[in-house]
């Protein structure tokens, strides 16, 4: 046989073997997540079902790390989390805890695990309505479903998800974001010329709170109530909106936290 | 005819560069113009397959035209430093022979590059416009760099005779070769910025997706987290790839050789090609780990998708391919012992080396996280196999790959000294020191590998640095000792170039095909980790092809690309053969009479 022909057949045999090998192992396609249809009339059970599809499907991809009914390879078993959630963070209801842990996972890492969810960007990957669906599913795992879809969720969802319809605030610096978020109305921040008198003075907040504590106070204003406000004892419970975790993007939140943590 | 072909290649390259400039202008205008569809469909085979083939074949040729000049330059420098003049001429002619191959390959690379760019603009206008908007300055610089590379290549090849004769002129020519490689490397770095930005975008405002000085701007977009790891990984891989293809060319010529001289020449050429491929191969896993670490640091979820998600089985294929490369590269060296007088002394060690390589290969190919349904996982007991799961973790795999590299190094050391006998008084101490170094490194690698099971993951990750350092230290210091040991060694007889069994040449073909296929597989991995994003978490793919296909489909696509590439390379080799016949340069340079490695021959009888 001609030498060149032999070499050509040899090459074909090698390539053929590699194709055969690659086709002999499990074949998995990574499909993009389907849009989840939700409305204010969606029943709690349907909401939980929609959340289940997100959690167990590619859209959430949660079971890559979490287990469901057994310990996950890298993250805790989600089974029963609805029952445990209320006791996980003092002052937070199950719904609040689950939502906060979803959007700011590194602040709620279960002991014995590392924070692997930090870069997931679920605030960008999931619409607000889908986030609530996930919370509903997690609540259903051993707890009661309390979360509901609101018209505001749907309005926010119609422009977000996927390529992101844009978060509520458009700034990229703390100087832009803090006024947009309305913080100066209640807080004094000398560096920004803000002189609010309702909440604690933040001019030197870093001298009494670490970055994690500042983040926690933004995400969950009732977690720890400050003692002294400019006009007397601080209000308990806090009147600060508890939804900045949804309104800021993760990066915006970090920009604000970083800025406040620099105010010694 | 060939002169016409070469001249026409200049026009093709110029046309491709002008087309790229034109398209850059189109991109800039269409961004403001708007109104174009997001996607268009390619007939029959679909957009995915069309863009895949154009991109992959272009990348393979690009690797060839970047890798071979590195190979040619190294060989030319070796020649310039070699004495006597007959040996120097041999290296010089080898380098020249390969530069000739580049001329046709270069125009083919440009053609596929132009096809790729055209397809991008036609099939994916929204994505391409977005990238053009982010990287406008680099898109303008790129064709100019391309002209620079073309100019330096032509000067390098056509100036070969002109810039020879005196050492000064030769070193000027080598300077042109360095310039050629610099242009090529910068071109690759620029193109890498575009592709790595899609994986790990940086420098942009997350709200608008546009460049923002607040986030570092254009430089941050270029110097994104995966840019430099991929630059280094590709640079090294191109060296290995160039060497492997040179080996394949030599193998085919060896098998077709009609005289002993020809056979000896191509045997020597194949050896040099394989040697350079091995040199490139050894640091590649380390560069790969660096890239993997940066991906994890950029986005844990992306890292997990890559290693533990739907792509986890890809690494089993990769392990199989790298196992084939290591085993066949070693096998080629072992066969080579047969053509060296004195090589028989070391053949008894081969069975142990085979056993170690096979064991390491099996460990490396053991999957860790099986992608299984919940029901399957419950039947197994967990997502880890109860027995084999323990071998699938990085502790075991890092250990295996380091031992494989160490074993390959030992094979090379045996080959290197096969035809020589050291004459230094401290020979015994020297050899023992090398053995102790190798055993100590193996001890560190295995010890840390076992200890890795007993510590948390964040501690364990740090162990790989010590394992790699131990192996690299042995590679460096044992080579130093070896150079001193055999600097004035006594030759045991002439190297019998050309006396290699035919199967050794098929091993070289196997190496080249496997390298090429592996390159295609890694291209798939690099793109599939973005899943359904054009630009990860910035621009979603909303086309009908917005999914990562199965490994089986990917394997078929990769194979099509490999066969197109090898078919065209075969055509280029054939064209090169015609050149030889036209110029009467078919008589091959004689192979060195005595050499136990690609270096200056040992001083006989010292």
């Amino acid at each position: 046989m001609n030498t060149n022909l032999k070499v050509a057949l040899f090459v074909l045999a090698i390539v053929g073997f590699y194709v055969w090998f690659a086709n002999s192992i499990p074949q998995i396609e990574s499909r993009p997540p389907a849009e989840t249809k939700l409305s204010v009339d969606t029943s709690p059970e349907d909401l939980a079902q929609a959340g289940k599809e997100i959690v167990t499907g590619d859209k959430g991809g949660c079971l890559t790390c979490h287990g469901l009914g057994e310990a996950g390879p890298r993250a805790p078993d989600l089974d029963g989390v609805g029952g445990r959630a209320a006791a996980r963070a003092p002052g937070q209801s199950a719904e609040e805890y689950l939502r906060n842990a979803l959007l700011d996972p590194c602040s709620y890492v279960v002991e014995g695990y590392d924070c692997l969810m930090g870069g997931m960007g679920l605030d960008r990957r999931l619409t607000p309505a889908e986030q609530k669906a996930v919370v509903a599913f997690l609540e259903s795992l051993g707890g009661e479903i309390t979360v509901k879809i609101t018209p505001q969720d749907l309005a926010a969802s119609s422009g977000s998800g996927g390529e992101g319809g844009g978060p509520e605030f458009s700034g990229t610096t703390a100087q832009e974001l803090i006024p947009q978020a309305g913080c100066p109305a209640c807080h004094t921040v000398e560096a920004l010329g803000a002189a609010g008198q309702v909440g604690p003075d933040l001019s030197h907040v870093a001298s009494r709170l670490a970055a994690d504590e500042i983040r926690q106070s933004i995400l969950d204003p009732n977690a720890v109530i400050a003692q002294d406000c400019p006009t007397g004892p601080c209000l308990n419970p806090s009147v600060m909106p508890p939804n900045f975790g949804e309104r800021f993007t993760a990066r915006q939140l970090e920009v604000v936290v970083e800025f406040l943590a620099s105010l010694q | 005819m060939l002169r016409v072909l070469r001249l026409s290649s200049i026009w093709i390259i110029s046309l491709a560069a002008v087309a790229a400039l034109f398209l850059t202008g189109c991109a800039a205008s269409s961004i403001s113009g708007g109104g174009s569809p997001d996607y268009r469909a390619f007939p029959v085979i679909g957009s995915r397959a069309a863009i895949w083939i154009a991109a992959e074949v272009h990348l393979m040729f690009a690797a060839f035209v970047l890798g071979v000049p590195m190979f040619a330059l190294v060989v030319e420098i070796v020649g310039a430093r070699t004495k006597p003049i007959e040996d120097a001429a041999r290296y010089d002619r080898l380098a020249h022979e390969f530069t000739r191959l580049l001329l046709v390959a270069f125009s083919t690379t440009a053609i596929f590059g132009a096809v790729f760019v055209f397809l991008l603009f036609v099939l994916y206008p929204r994505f391409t416009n977005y990238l053009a908007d982010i990287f406008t300055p680099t898109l303008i610089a790129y064709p100019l760099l391309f002209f620079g590379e073309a100019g330096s290549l032509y000067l390098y090849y056509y100036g070969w005779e002109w810039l020879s004769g005196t050492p000064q002129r030769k070193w000027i020519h080598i300077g042109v070769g360095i310039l050629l490689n610099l242009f090529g490397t910068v071109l690759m770095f620029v193109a890498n910025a575009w592709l790595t930005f899609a994986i790990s975008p940086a420098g942009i405002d997350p709200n608008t997706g546009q460049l923002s000085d607040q986030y570092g701007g254009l430089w941050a977009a270029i110097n994104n987290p995966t840019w430099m790891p991929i630059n280094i990984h590709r640079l090294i891989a191109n060296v290995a790839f160039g060497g492997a293809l040179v080996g394949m060319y030599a193998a085919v010529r060896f098998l077709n050789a009609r005289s002993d001289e020809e056979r000896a020449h191509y045997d020597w050429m194949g050896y040099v090609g394989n040697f350079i491929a091995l040199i490139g191969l050894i640091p590649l896993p380390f560069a790969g780990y660096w890239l993997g670490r940066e991906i994890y640091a950029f986005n844990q979820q992306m890292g997990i998708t890559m290693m533990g998600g739907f792509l986890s089985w890809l690494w089993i294929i990769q392990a199989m391919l790298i196992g084939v490369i290591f085993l066949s590269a070693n096998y080629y060296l072992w066969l080579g012992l047969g053509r060296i007088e004195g090589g028989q002394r070391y053949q008894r060690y081969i069975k142990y080396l085979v056993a170690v390589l096979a064991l390491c290969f099996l460990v490396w190919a053991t999957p860790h996280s099986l992608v299984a349904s919940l029901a399957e996982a419950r039947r197994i007991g967990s997502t880890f196999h109860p027995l084999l799961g323990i071998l699938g973790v990085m502790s075991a795999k890092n250990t295996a790959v380091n031992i494989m590299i160490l074993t390959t190094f030992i094979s090379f050391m045996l080959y290197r000294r096969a035809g020589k006998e050291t004459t230094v008084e401290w020979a015994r101490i020297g050899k023992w020191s090398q053995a102790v170094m190798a055993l100590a490194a193996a001890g560190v690698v295995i010890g840390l590998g076992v200890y890795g099971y007993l510590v948390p993951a964040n501690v364990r990750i740090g162990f790989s640095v010590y394992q790699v350092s131990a192996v690299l230290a042995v590679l460096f210091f044992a080579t130093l000792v070896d150079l001193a040991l055999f600097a004035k060694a006594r030759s045991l007889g002439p190297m019998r170039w050309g006396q290699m069994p035919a199967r050794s040449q098929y091993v070289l073909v196997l190496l080249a095909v496997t390298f090429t296929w592996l390159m295609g597989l890694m291209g798939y991995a690099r793109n599939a980790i973005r899943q359904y994003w054009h630009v990860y978490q910035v621009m979603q793919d909303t086309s009908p092809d917005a999914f990562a296909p199965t490994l089986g489909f990917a394997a078929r696509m990769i194979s099509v690309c490999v066969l197109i590439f090898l078919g065209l390379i075969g055509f280029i080799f054939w064209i090169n053969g015609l050149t030889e016949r036209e110029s009467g340069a078919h008589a091959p340079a004689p192979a060195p009479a005595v050499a136990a490695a690609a270096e200056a021959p040992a001083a006989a009888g010292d």
Side-chain angles (χ1 to χ4, degrees), chain A residues 51-143:
Chain A
K52 183 179 181 181
E53 286 167 15
I54 293 170
V55 168
T56 58
D58 286 338
K59 188 156 199 168
C62 310
L63 299 189
T64 303
C65 299
H66 286 282
L68 195 54
E70 63 180 344
R74 305 173 191 85
D77 181 6
L78 294 176
D79 203 12
V81 69
R84 297 191 299 271
R88 284 279 296 133
Q92 292 188 35
S93 66
E95 180 186 335
E96 287 166 342
Y97 166 76
L98 291 169
R99 191 180 62 233
N100 291 337
L102 196 64
L103 299 178
D104 182 25
C106 292
S107 297
Y108 299 92
V109 177
V110 174
E111 195 178 340
Y113 291 91
D114 294 326
C115 181
L116 304 179
M117 277 177 71
M120 280 200 76
L122 287 176
D123 56 334
R124 295 171 65 81
R125 289 161 63 124
L126 303 180
T127 65
E130 288 168 340
Q131 292 163 20
K132 284 199 167 175
V134 171
V135 171
F137 171 62
L138 297 176
E139 282 187 319
S140 74
L141 299 172

Side-chain angles (χ1 to χ4, degrees), chain A residues 112-247:
Chain A
Y113 291 91
D114 294 326
C115 181
L116 304 179
M117 277 177 71
M120 280 200 76
L122 287 176
D123 56 334
R124 295 171 65 81
R125 289 161 63 124
L126 303 180
T127 65
E130 288 168 340
Q131 292 163 20
K132 284 199 167 175
V134 171
V135 171
F137 171 62
L138 297 176
E139 282 187 319
S140 74
L141 299 172
E144 185 189 347
I145 301 171
T146 59
V147 66
K148 287 189 177 67
I149 300 286
T150 65
Q152 289 80 4
D153 294 327
L154 296 174
S157 301
S158 64
S160 66
E163 282 176 70
E168 181 176 343
F169 308 123
S170 60
T172 55
T173 64
Q175 286 78 0
E176 292 169 318
L177 290 165
I178 289 176
Q180 282 185 58
C183 312
C186 297
H187 293 284
T188 295
V189 188
E190 287 172 3
L192 299 177
Q197 300 290 306
V198 180
D201 186 340
L202 302 180
S203 301
H204 306 285
V205 63
S207 62
R208 59 177 193 275
L209 295 180
D212 284 346
E213 293 168 318
I214 293 171
R215 188 183 297 105
Q216 184 189 33
S217 294
I218 296 172
L219 293 172
D220 179 17
N222 281 306
V224 180
I225 304 287
Q227 295 285 320
D228 300 319
C229 284
T231 55
C234 294
L235 294 172
N236 191 355
S238 169
V239 293
M240 181 170 158
N243 60 350
F244 281 114
E246 290 179 357
R247 296 167 68 192

Side-chain angles (χ1 to χ4, degrees), chain A residues 124, chain B residues 130 133-134 197 203-212 535 538:
Chain A
R124 295 171 65 81
Chain B
Y130 174 68
D133 200 22
I134 297 288
F197 173 82
I204 53 171
D205 183 330
N207 301 308
T208 63
Q210 294 302 317
L211 281 182
S212 162
V535 179
V538 172

Side-chain angles (χ1 to χ4, degrees), chain B residues 457-521:
Chain B
N458 56 341
V459 178
R460 182 164 61 236
I461 287 168
F463 286 177
S464 62
V465 176
Y466 301 117
Q467 290 178 310
V468 167
S469 303
V471 172
L472 288 180
V474 172
L475 263 56
F476 181 73
F477 289 111
T479 303
L480 281 186
V481 173
D482 217 59
L483 288 172
L485 265 175
F486 293 95
K488 293 184 176 178
R490 185 171 66 84
S491 172
L492 296 176
M495 174 76 93
R496 298 187 292 264
W497 288 113
Q499 291 188 20
M500 281 285 267
R503 64 179 182 277
S504 66
Q505 305 307 302
Y506 284 97
V507 170
L508 292 179
V509 174
L510 174 63
L511 268 172
V513 174
T514 307
F515 262 118
T516 315
W517 212 90
L518 180 58
M519 187 185 287
L521 183 73

Side-chain angles (χ1 to χ4, degrees), chain B residues 133-174:
Chain B
D133 200 22
I134 297 288
F135 288 105
T136 306
T138 66
L139 284 170
I140 292 167
Y142 193 78
L144 301 177
L145 286 166
F146 205 73
F147 276 119
E149 192 188 19
S152 52
L153 172 62
Y154 291 125
L155 186 58
Y156 187 62
Y157 179 71
Y158 289 108
W160 205 286
E161 299 302 328
W162 176 52
L163 289 173
S164 64
T166 65
Q168 289 78 13
R169 290 172 81 90
K170 190 66 195 165
W171 283 104
I172 290 172
H173 187 258
I174 286 172

Side-chain angles (χ1 to χ4, degrees), chain B residues 69-252:
Chain B
M70 288 180 207
F71 176 91
L73 182 66
V74 169
V75 172
E76 189 186 9
I77 291 171
V78 170
R81 296 180 59 86
T82 298
K83 290 172 185 169
I85 197 156
E86 297 80 31
D87 288 339
R90 189 172 52 249
Y91 285 108
D92 200 61
R93 284 162 68 173
L94 178 64
H96 195 198
E97 190 172 350
F98 273 94
T99 309
R100 190 164 57 225
L101 289 177
L102 281 176
L103 294 179
V104 187
F106 197 66
S107 51
T108 316
T109 311
I111 292 168
F112 273 98
V115 170
F116 176 46
V117 173
F118 275 115
L119 286 179
L120 267 180
F121 274 94
V122 171
L123 303 177
Y124 297 89
R126 180 175 65 117
F127 167 59
T128 315
N129 284 342
Y130 174 68
L131 277 189
D133 200 22
I134 297 288
F135 288 105
T136 306
T138 66
L139 284 170
I140 292 167
Y142 193 78
L144 301 177
L145 286 166
F146 205 73
F147 276 119
E149 192 188 19
S152 52
L153 172 62
Y154 291 125
L155 186 58
Y156 187 62
Y157 179 71
Y158 289 108
W160 205 286
E161 299 302 328
W162 176 52
L163 289 173
S164 64
T166 65
Q168 289 78 13
R169 290 172 81 90
K170 190 66 195 165
W171 283 104
I172 290 172
H173 187 258
I174 286 172
V176 175
I178 291 171
L179 194 66
L180 165 63
N181 279 285
L182 277 178
F183 272 119
T185 304
V186 174
L187 268 171
M188 184 185 72
F189 279 23
V190 172
N192 285 349
W194 309 332
L195 95 93
T196 54
F197 173 82
I199 300 169
S200 51
I204 53 171
D205 183 330
N207 301 308
T208 63
Q210 294 302 317
L211 281 182
S212 162
D213 290 338
Q214 177 79 25
Y215 294 95
L218 178 63
W219 174 242
I222 293 171
N223 188 27
N224 63 71
T226 54
W227 183 57
M228 198 43 77
I230 281 196
N231 284 341
I232 300 303
H233 195 272
R234 276 192 159 170
L235 200 65
I236 301 169
N238 285 346
V239 174
F241 186 62
L245 285 177
V246 166
M248 181 175 181
Y249 171 77
V252 175

